[in-house]
Amino acid sequence: MRGKTEKKTPGLAKAYIAMIAAVAMAVLIMVASRWTPENFGRFFLFFALAMVASAMKIRLPGFKTTISINFVFILTGIALFSFGETVVIGLGGALVQSLWKTQTRPRAVQVLFNAACLTVCTAAAFWASHGALTMLGLNSMTTMMVLGVCVYVLLNTGLVSLVISLAERRPLRELWSSCYEWTFPYFLVGAAVAGLANAASHGANLGVALLIVPAMYFVYVYYRMHIVRAVLANISSDSQENGAVLAGASQGR
Protein backbone atom coordinates (compact mmCIF):
# COMPACT_ATOMS: atom_id res chain seq x y z
CA MET A 1 0.00 0.00 0.00
CA ARG A 2 1.41 3.37 -1.01
CA GLY A 3 1.92 6.19 1.40
CA LYS A 4 0.59 9.70 1.09
CA THR A 5 0.47 10.85 -2.53
CA GLU A 6 2.87 13.68 -3.31
CA LYS A 7 1.36 16.92 -4.43
CA LYS A 8 1.95 17.38 -8.14
CA THR A 9 3.88 20.39 -9.37
CA PRO A 10 1.77 22.62 -11.67
CA GLY A 11 2.77 22.71 -15.33
CA LEU A 12 3.79 26.38 -15.26
CA ALA A 13 6.07 25.75 -12.29
CA LYS A 14 7.63 22.79 -14.11
CA ALA A 15 8.28 24.93 -17.18
CA TYR A 16 9.89 27.61 -15.02
CA ILE A 17 12.11 25.06 -13.24
CA ALA A 18 13.10 23.57 -16.61
CA MET A 19 14.08 27.03 -17.86
CA ILE A 20 16.25 27.77 -14.81
CA ALA A 21 17.80 24.29 -15.09
CA ALA A 22 18.63 24.91 -18.77
CA VAL A 23 20.35 28.20 -17.92
CA ALA A 24 22.29 26.48 -15.13
CA MET A 25 23.33 23.68 -17.50
CA ALA A 26 24.66 26.24 -19.97
CA VAL A 27 26.65 27.84 -17.15
CA LEU A 28 28.09 24.48 -16.06
CA ILE A 29 29.08 23.62 -19.65
CA MET A 30 30.95 26.92 -19.79
CA VAL A 31 32.60 26.14 -16.46
CA ALA A 32 33.70 22.68 -17.65
CA SER A 33 35.16 24.08 -20.86
CA ARG A 34 37.16 26.77 -19.04
CA TRP A 35 38.12 24.91 -15.84
CA THR A 36 41.61 26.11 -14.94
CA PRO A 37 42.09 26.23 -11.15
CA GLU A 38 45.21 28.16 -10.18
CA ASN A 39 45.80 26.28 -6.93
CA PHE A 40 43.73 23.13 -6.50
CA GLY A 41 44.76 22.54 -2.88
CA ARG A 42 43.77 26.07 -1.93
CA PHE A 43 40.44 25.70 -3.72
CA PHE A 44 39.74 22.27 -2.20
CA LEU A 45 40.22 23.61 1.35
CA PHE A 46 37.89 26.54 0.70
CA PHE A 47 35.35 24.27 -1.00
CA ALA A 48 35.35 21.84 1.94
CA LEU A 49 34.72 24.65 4.42
CA ALA A 50 31.94 25.99 2.21
CA MET A 51 30.25 22.58 2.25
CA VAL A 52 30.41 22.51 6.05
CA ALA A 53 28.84 25.97 6.05
CA SER A 54 26.09 24.72 3.73
CA ALA A 55 25.11 22.12 6.33
CA MET A 56 24.45 24.92 8.84
CA LYS A 57 21.03 25.90 7.54
CA ILE A 58 17.97 27.65 8.87
CA ARG A 59 14.39 27.02 7.76
CA LEU A 60 12.51 30.22 7.00
CA PRO A 61 9.08 30.58 8.66
CA GLY A 62 6.29 30.11 6.14
CA PHE A 63 8.60 28.66 3.47
CA LYS A 64 9.55 25.13 2.52
CA THR A 65 13.11 26.26 1.97
CA THR A 66 16.25 27.01 3.95
CA ILE A 67 19.16 29.43 3.93
CA SER A 68 22.69 28.68 5.02
CA ILE A 69 25.94 30.59 5.46
CA ASN A 70 27.41 29.18 2.25
CA PHE A 71 26.52 32.45 0.49
CA VAL A 72 29.32 34.12 2.46
CA PHE A 73 31.81 31.73 0.87
CA ILE A 74 30.27 32.42 -2.54
CA LEU A 75 30.73 36.17 -2.07
CA THR A 76 34.28 35.67 -0.82
CA GLY A 77 34.97 33.33 -3.74
CA ILE A 78 33.98 36.07 -6.18
CA ALA A 79 37.06 38.00 -5.05
CA LEU A 80 39.43 35.11 -4.40
CA PHE A 81 38.70 32.54 -7.11
CA SER A 82 37.93 32.20 -10.80
CA PHE A 83 34.44 32.10 -12.29
CA GLY A 84 34.41 28.30 -12.56
CA GLU A 85 35.63 27.73 -9.02
CA THR A 86 33.07 30.13 -7.58
CA VAL A 87 30.20 28.47 -9.49
CA VAL A 88 31.29 25.02 -8.27
CA ILE A 89 31.21 26.32 -4.69
CA GLY A 90 27.65 27.54 -5.25
CA LEU A 91 26.52 24.28 -6.86
CA GLY A 92 28.11 22.08 -4.20
CA GLY A 93 26.63 24.20 -1.45
CA ALA A 94 23.15 23.88 -2.94
CA LEU A 95 23.38 20.08 -3.06
CA VAL A 96 24.59 19.80 0.53
CA GLN A 97 21.94 22.25 1.72
CA SER A 98 19.22 20.29 -0.08
CA LEU A 99 20.25 16.77 0.93
CA TRP A 100 21.99 16.97 4.29
CA LYS A 101 19.82 16.14 7.33
CA THR A 102 16.47 17.14 5.88
CA GLN A 103 13.23 16.86 7.88
CA THR A 104 11.53 15.13 4.96
CA ARG A 105 13.00 13.43 1.93
CA PRO A 106 13.37 16.12 -0.76
CA ARG A 107 11.79 15.57 -4.15
CA ALA A 108 14.10 15.37 -7.14
CA VAL A 109 12.54 18.47 -8.66
CA GLN A 110 13.28 20.44 -5.47
CA VAL A 111 16.93 19.39 -5.47
CA LEU A 112 17.17 20.22 -9.18
CA PHE A 113 15.75 23.69 -8.72
CA ASN A 114 17.88 24.49 -5.67
CA ALA A 115 21.06 23.44 -7.48
CA ALA A 116 20.10 25.32 -10.64
CA CYS A 117 19.04 28.41 -8.68
CA LEU A 118 22.31 28.76 -6.78
CA THR A 119 24.32 28.05 -9.91
CA VAL A 120 22.54 30.83 -11.79
CA CYS A 121 22.70 33.26 -8.84
CA THR A 122 26.42 32.65 -8.32
CA ALA A 123 27.21 33.06 -12.01
CA ALA A 124 25.14 36.24 -12.28
CA ALA A 125 26.74 37.78 -9.19
CA PHE A 126 30.24 36.98 -10.50
CA TRP A 127 29.54 38.33 -13.99
CA ALA A 128 27.81 41.46 -12.72
CA SER A 129 30.51 42.38 -10.20
CA HIS A 130 33.52 41.66 -12.43
CA GLY A 131 31.85 42.86 -15.63
CA ALA A 132 30.77 46.18 -14.15
CA LEU A 133 34.26 46.91 -12.84
CA THR A 134 35.77 46.12 -16.24
CA MET A 135 33.27 48.34 -18.06
CA LEU A 136 33.81 51.23 -15.65
CA GLY A 137 37.56 50.74 -15.54
CA LEU A 138 37.57 50.44 -11.76
CA ASN A 139 39.60 48.28 -9.39
CA SER A 140 37.56 48.54 -6.21
CA MET A 141 37.00 45.56 -3.94
CA THR A 142 34.18 47.42 -2.17
CA THR A 143 32.32 48.11 -5.41
CA MET A 144 32.75 44.48 -6.47
CA MET A 145 31.31 43.19 -3.20
CA VAL A 146 28.37 45.59 -3.20
CA LEU A 147 27.41 44.68 -6.77
CA GLY A 148 27.84 40.97 -6.09
CA VAL A 149 25.69 41.10 -2.95
CA CYS A 150 22.89 43.11 -4.60
CA VAL A 151 22.66 40.80 -7.60
CA TYR A 152 22.89 37.62 -5.53
CA VAL A 153 20.30 38.63 -2.92
CA LEU A 154 17.73 40.05 -5.36
CA LEU A 155 18.05 37.16 -7.80
CA ASN A 156 18.08 34.46 -5.13
CA THR A 157 15.04 35.72 -3.25
CA GLY A 158 13.25 36.48 -6.52
CA LEU A 159 13.79 33.08 -8.13
CA VAL A 160 12.81 31.20 -4.97
CA SER A 161 9.72 33.34 -4.40
CA LEU A 162 8.60 32.89 -8.00
CA VAL A 163 8.85 29.11 -7.97
CA ILE A 164 6.87 28.95 -4.71
CA SER A 165 4.30 31.33 -6.16
CA LEU A 166 3.84 29.14 -9.24
CA ALA A 167 3.87 25.85 -7.34
CA GLU A 168 1.55 26.87 -4.51
CA ARG A 169 -0.45 29.57 -6.34
CA ARG A 170 0.39 32.22 -3.76
CA PRO A 171 0.85 35.97 -4.51
CA LEU A 172 4.41 36.64 -5.74
CA ARG A 173 4.62 40.11 -4.23
CA GLU A 174 3.65 38.85 -0.79
CA LEU A 175 6.09 35.93 -0.97
CA TRP A 176 9.02 38.02 -2.21
CA SER A 177 8.40 40.66 0.44
CA SER A 178 8.28 38.04 3.20
CA CYS A 179 11.33 36.17 1.90
CA TYR A 180 13.31 39.40 1.56
CA GLU A 181 12.25 40.54 5.03
CA TRP A 182 13.46 37.32 6.65
CA THR A 183 16.70 36.96 4.70
CA PHE A 184 17.92 40.55 4.24
CA PRO A 185 19.45 40.98 7.76
CA TYR A 186 21.21 37.61 7.41
CA PHE A 187 22.56 38.45 3.96
CA LEU A 188 23.58 41.95 5.09
CA VAL A 189 25.64 40.75 8.04
CA GLY A 190 27.15 37.92 6.01
CA ALA A 191 28.11 40.31 3.22
CA ALA A 192 29.77 42.61 5.74
CA VAL A 193 31.80 39.71 7.14
CA ALA A 194 32.82 38.58 3.64
CA GLY A 195 33.77 42.13 2.71
CA LEU A 196 35.93 42.59 5.80
CA ALA A 197 37.66 39.26 5.18
CA ASN A 198 38.40 40.17 1.57
CA ALA A 199 39.63 43.63 2.53
CA ALA A 200 41.90 42.19 5.21
CA SER A 201 43.37 39.60 2.87
CA HIS A 202 43.63 41.99 -0.12
CA GLY A 203 42.20 39.14 -2.20
CA ALA A 204 45.40 37.09 -1.85
CA ASN A 205 45.81 35.53 1.60
CA LEU A 206 43.27 32.74 1.99
CA GLY A 207 44.22 32.20 5.62
CA VAL A 208 42.99 35.65 6.60
CA ALA A 209 39.82 35.21 4.55
CA LEU A 210 39.03 31.99 6.43
CA LEU A 211 38.51 34.06 9.56
CA ILE A 212 34.93 34.31 8.31
CA VAL A 213 34.30 30.76 9.57
CA PRO A 214 34.05 31.47 13.33
CA ALA A 215 32.43 34.85 12.69
CA MET A 216 29.69 33.38 10.53
CA TYR A 217 29.10 30.52 12.96
CA PHE A 218 28.15 33.04 15.65
CA VAL A 219 25.97 34.91 13.14
CA TYR A 220 24.27 31.61 12.25
CA VAL A 221 23.57 30.77 15.92
CA TYR A 222 22.28 34.26 16.67
CA TYR A 223 20.02 34.39 13.61
CA ARG A 224 18.63 30.92 14.31
CA MET A 225 17.75 32.01 17.84
CA HIS A 226 16.20 35.19 16.42
CA ILE A 227 13.91 33.20 14.12
CA VAL A 228 12.92 30.84 16.95
CA ARG A 229 12.05 33.80 19.17
CA ALA A 230 10.05 35.44 16.36
CA VAL A 231 8.10 32.24 15.68
CA LEU A 232 7.38 31.69 19.39
CA ALA A 233 6.27 35.31 19.77
CA ASN A 234 3.95 34.92 16.79
CA ILE A 235 2.48 31.69 18.23
CA SER A 236 1.99 33.40 21.61
CA SER A 237 0.29 36.37 19.94
CA ASP A 238 -2.05 34.08 17.97
CA SER A 239 -2.88 32.12 21.12
CA GLN A 240 -3.73 35.31 23.01
CA GLU A 241 -5.96 36.50 20.16
CA ASN A 242 -7.73 33.14 19.99
CA GLY A 243 -8.17 33.17 23.75
CA ALA A 244 -9.65 36.67 23.62
CA VAL A 245 -12.06 35.61 20.88
CA LEU A 246 -13.17 32.54 22.83
CA ALA A 247 -13.59 34.58 25.98
CA GLY A 248 -15.70 37.13 24.12
CA ALA A 249 -17.82 34.40 22.61
CA SER A 250 -18.46 32.76 25.98
CA GLN A 251 -19.45 36.10 27.55
CA GLY A 252 -21.85 36.75 24.71
CA ARG A 253 -23.87 33.62 25.46
Side-chain angles (χ1 to χ4, degrees):
M1 187 173 181
R2 292 186 178 181
K4 186 178 179 180
T5 304
E6 289 186 347
K7 187 177 179 180
K8 292 185 178 180
T9 305
L12 194 57
K14 289 182 179 179
Y16 170 69
I17 293 172
M19 181 186 70
I20 299 300
V23 175
M25 182 59 67
V27 170
L28 293 176
I29 291 174
M30 186 182 301
V31 168
S33 64
R34 301 180 182 180
W35 180 256
T36 54
E38 297 179 1
N39 187 327
F40 186 76
R42 178 171 174 262
F43 167 72
F44 181 79
L45 173 61
F46 195 85
F47 179 83
L49 290 172
M51 297 309 100
V52 173
S54 299
M56 292 188 287
K57 52 191 177 182
I58 301 171
R59 181 170 295 277
L60 297 177
F63 292 86
K64 295 178 182 179
T65 186
T66 60
I67 58 173
S68 71
I69 63 174
N70 68 332
F71 76 93
V72 180
F73 287 85
I74 292 173
L75 296 177
T76 305
I78 289 176
L80 295 179
F81 295 100
S82 66
F83 171 73
E85 291 170 314
T86 308
V87 169
V88 169
I89 291 172
L91 173 61
L95 293 175
V96 171
Q97 189 173 329
S98 299
L99 299 172
W100 178 260
K101 289 187 177 180
T102 56
Q103 292 182 353
T104 58
R105 184 177 180 180
R107 297 167 59 192
V109 68
Q110 293 174 324
V111 177
L112 173 64
F113 177 78
N114 291 338
C117 179
L118 252 67
T119 298
V120 171
C121 292
T122 303
F126 191 99
W127 281 332
S129 56
H130 285 265
L133 291 185
T134 301
M135 290 176 60
L136 298 174
L138 299 176
N139 186 23
S140 170
M141 180 70 68
T142 301
T143 304
M144 178 188 295
M145 293 298 298
V146 170
L147 287 172
V149 170
C150 289
V151 172
Y152 184 88
V153 173
L154 290 175
L155 193 58
N156 184 272
T157 55
L159 293 179
V160 171
S161 298
L162 182 54
V163 76
I164 295 175
S165 175
L166 294 174
E168 301 181 4
R169 295 182 175 87
R170 294 166 61 184
L172 174 60
R173 184 175 180 179
E174 177 185 324
L175 280 168
W176 200 346
S177 176
S178 180
C179 183
Y180 187 81
E181 181 180 351
W182 279 113
T183 58
F184 180 73
Y186 197 56
F187 280 130
L188 184 63
V189 175
V193 173
L196 290 173
N198 285 332
S201 66
H202 299 288
N205 188 342
L206 182 61
V208 177
L210 291 181
L211 291 175
I212 63 175
V213 178
M216 280 311 302
Y217 176 74
F218 286 112
V219 172
Y220 159 77
V221 172
Y222 174 81
Y223 193 70
R224 186 172 184 176
M225 292 174 61
H226 166 70
I227 286 184
V228 170
R229 287 196 300 268
V231 171
L232 291 176
N234 187 50
I235 293 175
S236 176
S237 177
D238 290 342
S239 298
Q240 290 177 0
E241 291 180 2
N242 292 334
V245 171
L246 291 174
S250 62
Q251 291 176 359
R253 289 181 180 178

